[in-house]
Amino acid sequence: PGPAVMADSLLNGITMGYGSETAAATSAAIDGLKGENVVDSYRRNHAANEARLQQGREDYPPLAALSEGTAMALPGLAIAKGIDRSMDALGVGRGWFGNMVRGGVTGGSEASVYGTGEGAPGERLQTGMDYAPYGAAAGAVAAPVVGAGAKALGILSAPLAAAVGLRNGPRANRVL
């Protein structure tokens, strides 16, 4: 059960909440090639995938959360990079407050996308809107905290790095 829970959670994370839909569409396409009704196959597979994903979350909460959260990093980083570029174009700074704004916009955007994937058909937009404020708040708080932690880590690790002959390159110094 553990590997299946992990696979379902990884798919749901990498697709930002659309794992059941992706798997159901793939299965329906294959079933359609076998002559089955594609719509019926999609509905049946989607319901089974959602039930299995939910059961995995209930039976193995840490494994499911860790798998899904880790898999969300890839699309999440892509969203963050796009928002970061937009914030640069808008002239949003990179200080403490600017990082809060960037983190809030990024967190809200990612949570709303994930919410639309998690919402039931007919309720997806509302679910995305419901998730957005929580993501925005988490992102606004996390951004300066993570930034300060990264800066502190760089300061603390500099003497050790110098002792073994490592140095930060210009890009690393610019980020910190």
Side-chain angles (χ1 to χ4, degrees), residues 69-150:
T70 301
M72 274 193 281
L74 189 60
L77 288 171
I79 291 170
K81 186 159 184 87
I83 289 173
D84 197 48
R85 287 184 177 169
S86 298
M87 293 286 128
D88 285 343
L90 292 171
V92 175
R94 291 195 177 267
W96 187 80
F97 183 73
N99 286 341
M100 283 186 71
V101 171
R102 290 168 187 267
V105 171
T106 301
S109 299
E110 291 176 1
S112 66
V113 169
Y114 182 78
T116 62
E118 285 297 291
E123 300 173 2
R124 292 183 187 275
L125 184 58
Q126 184 61 51
T127 305
M129 290 175 12
D130 291 345
Y131 278 40
Y134 297 104
V141 170
V145 171
V146 169

Side-chain angles (χ1 to χ4, degrees), residues 155-170:
I155 291 167
L156 295 173
S157 66
L160 176 62
V164 294
L166 298 174
R167 325 178 336 192
N168 283 338

